[in-house]
Amino acid sequence: MIRGRSDNMLQVTPVRAFTDNYIWLIHSPRDPRQVVAVDPGDAAPVERILADRSLTLSGLLITHHHGDHVGGVADLLRERSIPVYGPANEAIPGNPTRLREGDRAELSALGLEFSVLDVPGHTAGHIAYVGHGALFCGDTLFSAGCGRLFEGTAEQMHTSLSKLAALPAETLVYCAHEYTLSNLKFGLAVEPDNAATARYLAECRDLRARDQATIPSDMRRERNVNPFLRCDDETVKQAAEAHAGRALHSHTEVFAVIRQWKDGFR
Ligand SMILES: [Zn+2]
């Protein structure tokens, strides 16, 4: 990872999986050949990068139970005895240490430590990992978007996203999918005059044309372009009201309308 990198920041390598998933490999600051994989939905591409780059897999962090996030866990653990962390309230393979908000994922030997946030909405027990200036948020927050509500309510998801939005502006956002371009097209439907969104769309088109990842994003940008973090903005509220054809009386109601709007947006 080049963008935004400085000495006290994490080194993180993306592994592409399926059509648009990213499995993140977090390098140990003590020994960069040792890595922790976040949400390994598929073992094969992870094993390939480990072999190609002479890396050692030293731990797993899981955000939620969906197959494209845990499908590779059993295979990766077949010949390894390494720590696995996952959400307290979801069934995760690999017998993980079960974490909830306030807990820490401590990988002391690697010099890595993450605090855990409960972020229900996409799934009921979804958690996120925060540490070293980075956020690993699975399918809760995407760049310029957010996860679908498969198990939770709009109110839960809005609360979860507000919690993430309160992290420091420079926090790097490592989400699990490359959805940024389609999210930004929706963002412009909600806020046609948001210059930051238009600028970011141009940047991301350029990155994708060169087959580069648009991730990580950072929280400052997300607050400026992500309509799901902007439910308190008057323009976003008015757009949601126009879409719904009625007055909306809370940020949560605004969130619920734009989440539904996005579900049907092409
Ligand atoms: Zn998911």
Side-chain angles (χ1 to χ4, degrees):
M1 289 282 89
I2 311 301
R3 271 195 293 162
R5 173 114 182 261
S6 75
D7 286 347
N8 57 0
M9 275 181 176
L10 283 185
Q11 186 187 347
V12 181
T13 296
V15 180
R16 295 177 189 209
F18 310 113
T19 49
D20 50 31
N21 281 70
Y22 291 120
I23 299 166
W24 300 107
L25 299 184
I26 306 170
H27 295 254
S28 161
R30 288 195 188 146
D31 173 5
R33 289 164 305 175
Q34 292 198 58
V35 293
V36 173
V38 183
D39 286 353
D42 191 2
V46 174
E47 295 286 13
R48 225 166 13 243
I49 287 207
L50 295 174
D52 285 354
R53 306 194 185 178
S54 303
L55 301 171
T56 301
L57 185 63
S58 303
L60 301 179
L61 299 179
I62 308 298
T63 64
H64 69 293
H65 68 85
H66 285 159
D68 62 324
H69 296 251
V70 302
V73 170
D75 278 344
L76 290 171
L77 293 179
R78 214 172 297 285
E79 290 176 9
R80 295 183 179 92
S81 180
I82 56 175
V84 183
Y85 292 94
N89 296 313
E90 296 193 353
I92 304 291
N95 190 26
T97 301
R98 301 163 81 90
L99 303 173
R100 51 171 58 83
E101 184 152 322
D103 291 339
R104 287 172 174 280
E106 283 179 27
L107 297 136
S108 322
L110 303 177
L112 289 170
E113 188 180 337
F114 297 93
S115 54
V116 172
L117 295 174
D118 286 330
V119 287
H122 177 68
T123 64
H126 201 304
I127 60 172
Y129 298 88
V130 185
H132 309 271
L135 165 70
F136 296 88
C137 51
D139 289 353
T140 298
L141 174 66
F142 295 124
S143 187
C146 75
R148 284 176 186 260
L149 303 179
F150 285 122
E151 297 173 11
T153 64
E155 184 167 12
Q156 282 178 319
M157 187 60 140
H158 182 241
T159 302
S160 297
L161 292 172
S162 302
K163 211 184 276 186
L164 299 182
L167 291 169
E170 60 275 15
T171 306
L172 294 178
V173 177
Y174 290 91
C175 55
H177 288 276
E178 180 63 64
Y179 289 160
T180 315
L181 280 184
S182 67
N183 287 341
L184 284 168
K185 286 172 202 158
F186 176 70
L188 280 179
V190 178
E191 294 184 276
D193 299 326
N194 186 327
T197 303
R199 237 179 359 252
Y200 185 38
L201 176 60
E203 255 176 64
C204 290
R205 278 197 171 123
D206 183 51
L207 285 168
R208 298 304 295 148
R210 292 182 285 116
D211 201 27
Q212 305 265 312
T214 64
I215 313 298
S217 179
D218 65 56
M219 205 54 83
R220 177 177 290 106
R221 174 190 287 134
E222 292 309 313
R223 286 184 204 140
N224 288 328
V225 307
N226 192 322
F228 298 100
L229 302 188
R230 296 170 56 75
C231 297
D232 56 348
D233 182 277
E234 194 53 35
T235 312
V236 173
K237 180 182 180 223
Q238 282 171 10
E241 287 183 333
H243 183 78
R246 62 190 164 90
L248 301 172
H249 302 291
S250 70
H251 299 160
T252 300
E253 277 188 81
V254 172
F255 173 80
V257 166
I258 59 174
R259 183 56 266 180
Q260 259 184 345
W261 181 2
K262 174 73 166 63
D263 287 343
F265 185 82
R266 290 290 173 274

